[in-house]
Amino acid sequence: MKSLMLAGTLCLLTTASGLAQNPKVVTAAQANGVYRYYDNEFRILALGHNKLKVQFDGIYHTLAKSVNTGYAGGEATIAGNVATFVPEDTQGCKITMTFIPRKIVVKQDGDDATCGFGHNVYAAGTYRKIRSGKPKFQPPP
């Protein structure tokens, strides 16, 4: 019985010290949903074990009234409130998402072509959460 209490106490202390070091932990309810910046969207679903399912759909409107598109899907790793996403089948592309209340701030390392996007399509920006809960993922174009 004493060993169970000791194990429980150690578990609580470990959890508490982990939270104190990284107070900005994002819950699944906070992360899950659809985020929009102009016509670009991210769909995010917490999978557990510090993993997120991520889908990006980007659009760039040209002067000729046509559009260039970009798509990325896969898994991101999250630590605290920062998720790192490397789109599948890319090298040199990294998308960093910082979760703040009802928004994500996205930075992109790598140009449009490196990330597999159409000309002038970029994921960077501040995205506003437009829908909470489990998102419906779209099939790749």
Side-chain angles (χ1 to χ4, degrees):
M1 183 70 172
K2 283 185 180 181
S3 62
L4 276 176
M5 288 177 58
L6 179 62
T9 303
L10 285 174
C11 183
L12 283 173
L13 288 174
T14 303
T15 302
S17 68
L19 291 176
Q21 292 171 355
N22 196 354
K24 295 181 181 184
V25 174
V26 177
T27 66
Q30 292 169 322
N32 292 349
V34 179
Y35 298 81
R36 184 174 290 155
Y37 173 67
Y38 294 103
D39 289 338
N40 294 350
E41 282 190 354
F42 271 96
R43 289 174 181 77
I44 299 174
L45 178 65
L47 300 174
H49 304 288
N50 298 328
K51 297 286 184 188
L52 303 173
K53 181 176 181 179
V54 176
Q55 181 178 7
F56 168 74
D57 290 295
I59 296 175
Y60 173 77
H61 296 273
T62 69
L63 293 174
K65 306 257 187 236
S66 65
V67 294
N68 297 336
T69 61
Y71 170 86
E75 283 189 4
T77 303
I78 187 166
N81 69 330
V82 179
T84 304
F85 172 52
V86 177
E88 295 173 350
D89 302 324
T90 66
Q91 291 182 339
C93 180
K94 180 173 83 170
I95 296 172
T96 305
M97 300 171 283
T98 304
F99 288 84
I100 57 177
R102 309 264 327 137
K103 295 179 182 176
I104 54 173
V105 178
V106 179
K107 296 188 188 307
Q108 176 179 318
D109 293 323
D111 62 16
D112 50 0
T114 302
C115 291
F117 305 153
H119 183 63
N120 285 334
V121 176
Y122 287 89
T126 300
Y127 290 71
R128 186 176 52 87
K129 191 175 206 178
I130 61 166
R131 199 169 311 119
S132 294
K134 183 177 180 180
K136 293 182 180 172
F137 290 91
Q138 307 295 325

